[in-house]
Amino acid sequence: MENVAASTTAGSTPSAAAGVDVLLAGMVFLDIVFTDLPQRPCPGHEVWAGGMGSSPGGIANLAMATARLDLRTALVAAFSDDGYGRWCRDVLGRQERIDLSRCPTVPDWHSPVTVSMAYDDDRAMVTHGHDAPQTIAEMAGELPPTRAIIAGLEDEPWWRPAVAAGSLVFADVGWDPSETWDRAVLDRLSGCHAFTPNEVEAMAYTRTASADAALSALAERVPLAVVTRGHSGSLAIDQQTGEQASIPALDVVAIDPTGAGDVFAAALVAGTLGGWPLADRLRFAALASALAVQEFGGGLAAPGWGDIADWWARASRGAADGDPRAVARVRDYGFLPEVLRSHEGRSVRRANATIAQLADV
């Protein structure tokens, strides 16, 4: 099994000239996440949350998730010069070692902010912000050599030049608030390597009645089609290898689903770039997202290799003690020891309730 890329030197930012593994573009938000709400907020009532975390959000969720899997990650995004913007830039650049050389600092433009409230295994969000003062293409300039790009179909196709250079584009799509699900959106998949919608989006865009039927329809458009199903796991077809897989989700107690889809996508990219079998890619993505939802704070909940090594150690101990669930997990995740030998199990920082100073990790 080929390994994903090695990590950069601790505390450094990857060199733009050296190329990157993953290139991302979008808007960075300051996310403030409230968890463990006893009830949903309603007018005239105050609800005290059991937990709170602050984190860079938006496209930063994806960037942190890929960087923590030792993928050299570059970001294209605008940052405000206000306190929120400076903090988000510091977390992403200095702490998470993401290449921010294509991220201008913009005066007189405030950072977008999202407040997320997690309850009933879901979340509600309130956001305030304004469009970035520059387009992605203006900020990015000439794109660096990159192995993969993760992009939304609703965004401008800034990534087209990279496809001609051999980059693999992993596409996703946001929720359609009009619920018209215009099928013309799928025409934008031309040139993409993968498409990873959830089952509601997949069935709506393909006009099919099941996740399996939607997956088959999408597999005619992209080499790698993946349909995520939340608690029910994920389905995928890889036309290049001829593989098809259906993998269940891991049963865990979730405290915050913020960013779980981004962590799933990051892990899928890591496995694909590593040349892993399709079932192993989906299992790894399921594990990474399961670890993420047990923390709060979006991108700062994303697991690093140390978290994955700890999970494997716990599963192995449980299997040795005869725990049937642990035995099944060790069997299904038997590919992990080889992968873990190639990665430093460094610690990663979690979200604090306040916008805190960086911690040495």
Side-chain angles (χ1 to χ4, degrees):
M1 184 184 298
E2 181 183 337
N3 298 320
V4 293
S7 65
T8 57
T9 303
S12 68
T13 296
S15 168
V20 295
D21 294 314
V22 181
L23 180 63
L24 305 164
M27 187 171 286
V28 174
F29 294 75
L30 171 70
D31 278 0
I32 301 173
V33 180
F34 294 101
T35 62
D36 191 22
L37 272 68
Q39 63 193 54
R40 72 173 61 202
C42 61
H45 291 77
E46 182 178 20
V47 177
W48 280 77
M52 173 182 167
S54 299
S55 170
I59 194 63
N61 289 331
L62 260 173
M64 287 187 281
T66 56
R68 289 184 172 193
L69 293 177
D70 288 350
L71 295 175
R72 298 170 301 165
T73 300
L75 178 63
V76 180
F79 286 83
S80 172
D81 63 352
D82 62 21
Y84 293 164
R86 291 195 300 272
W87 181 77
C88 287
R89 180 184 280 277
D90 205 23
V91 169
L92 296 177
R94 185 159 69 90
Q95 177 179 296
E96 301 297 326
R97 305 183 297 187
I98 295 166
D99 179 355
L100 303 180
S101 61
R102 296 165 188 83
C103 296
T105 296
V106 182
D108 301 320
W109 176 73
H110 72 75
S111 296
V113 176
T114 293
V115 174
S116 177
M117 292 158 282
Y119 56 90
D120 295 339
D121 294 327
D122 208 335
R123 56 184 175 153
M125 296 179 289
V126 178
T127 296
H128 177 72
H130 302 282
D131 291 340
Q134 299 180 45
T135 66
I136 293 173
E138 290 170 340
M139 290 186 284
E142 182 178 353
L143 299 181
T146 181
R147 300 172 68 196
I149 289 172
I150 308 176
L153 289 184
E154 63 272 24
D155 298 331
E156 57 180 292
W158 56 270
W159 42 266
R160 291 286 182 196
V163 174
S167 301
L168 302 180
V169 176
F170 291 73
D172 200 354
V173 65
W175 179 262
D176 179 4
S178 70
E179 298 191 36
T180 57
W181 311 105
D182 185 357
R183 297 192 67 182
V185 168
L186 299 183
D187 295 336
R188 302 173 194 167
L189 288 171
S190 175
C192 293
H193 175 74
F195 186 40
T196 60
N198 65 41
E199 63 179 332
V200 174
E201 297 159 347
M203 290 187 291
Y205 280 116
T206 59
R207 307 298 195 267
T208 53
S210 70
D212 290 290
L215 179 67
S216 297
L218 294 174
E220 298 176 1
R221 291 180 174 266
V222 287
L224 176 60
V226 180
V227 175
T228 60
R229 306 184 64 201
H231 295 300
S232 298
S234 59
L235 313 168
I237 295 175
D238 189 326
Q239 297 283 22
Q240 292 185 325
T241 63
E243 297 170 283
Q244 185 165 348
S246 175
I247 301 299
L250 290 176
D251 185 18
V252 298
V253 177
I255 67 169
D256 179 15
T258 306
D262 294 323
V263 172
F264 183 99
L268 179 70
V269 170
T272 301
L273 294 181
W276 303 0
L278 180 60
D280 290 353
R281 284 180 265 168
L282 295 186
R283 286 192 178 96
F284 184 62
L287 171 59
S289 57
L291 292 174
V293 299
Q294 295 176 79
E295 307 286 344
F296 57 82
L300 286 176
W305 287 106
D307 300 302
I308 295 165
D310 289 345
W311 179 88
W312 175 253
R314 291 193 298 271
S316 298
R317 287 194 299 269
D321 292 339
D323 180 352
R325 284 187 22 162
V327 169
R329 288 182 173 181
V330 167
R331 180 194 65 232
D332 291 341
Y333 285 86
F335 63 92
L336 274 182
E338 181 181 350
V339 177
L340 288 168
R341 281 194 291 270
S342 302
H343 294 278
E344 174 192 0
R346 66 184 178 93
S347 300
V348 294
R349 182 174 172 232
R350 300 302 179 200
N352 286 358
T354 60
I355 302 174
Q357 297 295 315
L358 301 187
D360 291 330
V361 294

